[in-house]
Amino acid sequence: MKIFIYILLLLSAGMLIYNLTNINWNAPFDGESTVAAICTMAAACVMVMLAILLVSKKIASVKK
């Protein structure tokens, strides 16, 4: 399970970087830049949630 979470973290980091390169910084909310900005935020949220999951798994293993 831990390896799967790390793989998902790497995939979301890759999507975050890819979508950051697709944003038109002169007009970030026009056309396809809007989609890239939304996907960037989604990838960042996924990374935060997976980090929380890793911490909660670590706490659960220490508590036993």
Side-chain angles (χ1 to χ4, degrees):
M1 180 76 169
K2 186 185 269 188
I3 295 172
F4 182 65
I5 293 172
Y6 283 124
I7 290 170
L8 289 177
L9 271 170
L10 285 173
L11 287 173
S12 64
M15 287 191 64
L16 180 86
I17 292 168
Y18 174 74
N19 285 314
L20 281 173
T21 62
N22 284 333
I23 295 175
N24 180 6
W25 294 103
N26 294 326
F29 297 111
D30 285 341
E32 291 185 17
S33 290
T34 304
V35 175
I38 292 169
C39 291
T40 300
M41 291 301 297
C45 289
V46 167
M47 289 179 70
V48 169
M49 289 190 293
L50 286 171
I52 291 170
L53 180 63
L54 278 173
V55 170
S56 68
K57 292 278 186 185
K58 189 177 285 190
I59 290 171
S61 69
V62 169
K63 198 172 185 180
K64 287 184 181 178

